[in-house]
Amino acid sequence: QLGDAPQLVLELQLLAERAPPREVPRVQQLLGEVQRLELLVSSTLMLGAEQPLESAPVDLAELVADVLDLMQPSLEHRGIVVERAHVEMPPVTADRTRLRQALLNLVVNAADAMPRGGRLRVCTEVEAAARRALLAVEDSGPGVSDELRARLRTDSVSTKPFGLGLGLVVCRDVAAAHGGELSIERSVALGGARFVVALPLQ
């Protein structure tokens, strides 16, 4: 049950402190997976819910570090090499929890596109002309076809068996709630997909 997740996280944290050194990486990986699943479940529950934004200044570089630190054990286990690239920018005004969920979904989506390993890049950029901050996640996977790119605009799309593409829907809705947008491109650097969340800069 979702309500039991915080207790499980606490128990795993305590176990990591008492575990023999050789078992610590395994416990940390389990801890990361539980936290990731908790965030994914809570993000899908946001669909259709009219929740006001709890806006505050958010440092995008710190947000990226938070999410990638959470996902690092799982990404390493999959053979995925992570790259980070940031530019100096002022904080964005955003709901940190919802933006964190959106970024987590994009990282998980990229990882799922590379079941045999690959490269994942998360970067922040500034689009000065439009006064927007860009949060981009790109991968070395197979990329996104034009047909799928068009279908991703609907709520029912999925590239996964039995799925509804809820993670991408959440990302799109989170971006829209902040006055921004989610766009899907081809990654020039890595050759796969590039998902970009554009957020207005104040």
Side-chain angles (χ1 to χ4, degrees), residues 178-200:
H178 287 85
E181 63 179 357
L182 172 68
S183 61
I184 305 150
E185 308 166 359
R186 184 78 178 177
S187 171
V188 175
L190 302 184
R194 173 179 161 95
F195 292 84
V196 182
V197 176
L199 303 167

Side-chain angles (χ1 to χ4, degrees), residues 47-65:
L47 289 172
E50 294 294 333
Q51 299 178 347
L53 294 178
E54 297 182 5
S55 297
V58 176
D59 183 328
L60 290 184
E62 188 274 332
L63 183 73
V64 169

Side-chain angles (χ1 to χ4, degrees), residues 141-160:
V144 180
S145 67
D146 292 339
E147 177 185 359
L148 183 57
R149 189 177 289 111
R151 291 176 56 216
L152 283 170
R153 299 188 182 95
T154 72
D155 288 358
S156 59
V157 68
S158 176
T159 61
K160 304 171 187 176

Side-chain angles (χ1 to χ4, degrees), residues 61-78:
E62 188 274 332
L63 183 73
V64 169
D66 180 22
V67 170
L68 291 182
D69 287 347
L70 172 64
M71 288 292 298
Q72 191 64 36
S74 175
L75 295 172
E76 287 182 353
H77 181 70
R78 298 186 186 199

Side-chain angles (χ1 to χ4, degrees), residues 100-188:
R100 184 176 188 249
Q101 290 169 332
L103 176 58
L104 179 73
N105 285 336
L106 290 179
V107 171
V108 170
N109 185 73
D112 287 347
M114 300 181 289
R116 296 191 175 97
R119 294 167 60 196
L120 183 148
R121 187 171 187 264
V122 182
C123 61
T124 59
E125 304 170 4
V126 173
E127 193 176 39
R131 291 200 53 77
R132 300 195 304 178
L134 305 181
L135 181 58
V137 177
E138 51 193 314
D139 60 68
S140 60
V144 180
S145 67
D146 292 339
E147 177 185 359
L148 183 57
R149 189 177 289 111
R151 291 176 56 216
L152 283 170
R153 299 188 182 95
T154 72
D155 288 358
S156 59
V157 68
S158 176
T159 61
K160 304 171 187 176
F162 313 112
L164 293 176
L166 296 181
L168 293 179
V169 174
V170 167
C171 295
R172 183 201 62 196
D173 290 353
V174 167
H178 287 85
E181 63 179 357
L182 172 68
S183 61
I184 305 150
E185 308 166 359
R186 184 78 178 177
S187 171
V188 175

